[in-house]
Amino acid sequence: MTKKDIRESVLFLRNSLDKKEAEYISRGICQDVIELDVYEKATDICLYMSIKNEVYLDFLMEASFKGGKRVWLPRVIDKHMEFYSYDTNTKFISGAFGIMEPDSEMKLVPNKNTLIIMPGAVYSENKERIGYGGGYYDKYLSEHPECHTVAVCYELQIFPDIPTESYDIKPEIIVTEERIIE
């Protein structure tokens, strides 16, 4: 199977999850992320706006605010992704692919205390990743290797092995509802 075939079949399964069940599972995944050392040490937490039954990060966002961490969300401008400051007063604008983005001017200066929570379509047990085809996270992480990464997904998104390209960047850790792959 090609990357595209695998991506499409897994996204079909993920989209078939009951929304309430996905939210319940997501809360457990977020709790496991909060308990990771890399999360505890981070001062800047980069999240994403969940779409199409991705792991919901609302619980992680709330915990980050309560823990005094700065929260950042992605914005895509001219096919280039950056992270911008987000707090409860930040307004949203419709961005790339119709995904809501923060209407903020404060751009993240990535550092060794930055943790990026990565979305993705499919992962392997070796932490290889198939994204959505735009390469936004691969490009960003290749420019900012000092950032730490945790991918969150449902167990159904994990395969024993997947095809990858040389530019595909693996997360340091993957968290599902069943396990943590380090």
Side-chain angles (χ1 to χ4, degrees):
M1 290 178 75
T2 66
K3 283 173 79 168
K4 183 179 180 204
D5 294 335
I6 294 169
R7 180 187 301 118
E8 286 175 1
S9 66
V10 170
L11 292 181
F12 177 80
L13 290 173
R14 188 183 76 191
N15 289 337
S16 301
L17 286 173
D18 176 74
K19 184 172 171 51
K20 292 271 188 224
E21 180 184 6
E23 289 173 354
Y24 175 79
I25 292 169
S26 295
R27 188 175 181 89
I29 291 170
C30 288
Q31 184 59 49
D32 286 345
V33 170
I34 290 166
E35 294 172 7
L36 295 172
D37 283 345
V38 69
Y39 175 84
E40 287 185 25
K41 292 176 182 172
T43 56
D44 296 297
I45 307 294
C46 298
L47 303 175
Y48 59 84
M49 295 299 293
S50 305
I51 61 167
K52 299 181 180 177
N53 250 3
E54 287 177 315
V55 171
Y56 296 94
L57 300 180
D58 299 2
F59 180 70
L60 188 55
M61 184 179 289
E62 290 172 24
S64 296
F65 286 139
K66 286 179 186 169
K69 297 179 186 295
R70 292 181 296 258
V71 174
W72 307 84
L73 294 173
R75 259 177 53 194
V76 175
I77 301 170
D78 296 327
K79 298 194 179 211
H80 188 77
M81 182 181 76
E82 294 285 346
F83 287 91
Y84 286 82
S85 177
Y86 174 78
D87 63 33
T88 55
N89 297 316
T90 306
K91 295 191 182 342
F92 285 104
I93 55 175
S94 182
F97 312 105
I99 299 170
M100 298 310 288
E101 299 178 344
D103 189 13
S104 168
E105 296 303 316
M106 186 186 301
K107 185 166 64 167
L108 173 69
V109 176
N111 60 73
K112 63 182 174 65
N113 296 315
T114 301
L115 173 60
I116 298 176
I117 305 298
M118 298 172 69
V122 186
Y123 295 90
S124 76
E125 294 183 356
N126 294 323
K127 298 187 281 187
E128 295 152 325
R129 174 180 175 271
I130 296 177
Y132 298 107
Y136 295 104
Y137 280 82
D138 294 319
K139 289 174 197 163
Y140 188 86
L141 292 169
S142 70
E143 294 169 3
H144 303 288
E146 68 278 14
C147 297
H148 295 282
T149 55
V150 172
V152 292
C153 67
Y154 305 106
E155 188 65 29
L156 65 83
Q157 294 175 259
I158 304 285
F159 276 49
D161 192 38
I162 57 174
T164 58
E165 308 296 334
S166 60
Y167 53 80
D168 291 330
I169 294 183
K170 297 179 180 184
E172 294 169 44
I173 300 169
I174 300 174
V175 179
T176 77
E177 71 274 22
E178 294 182 11
R179 59 186 163 156
I180 297 172
I181 303 171
E182 295 187 74

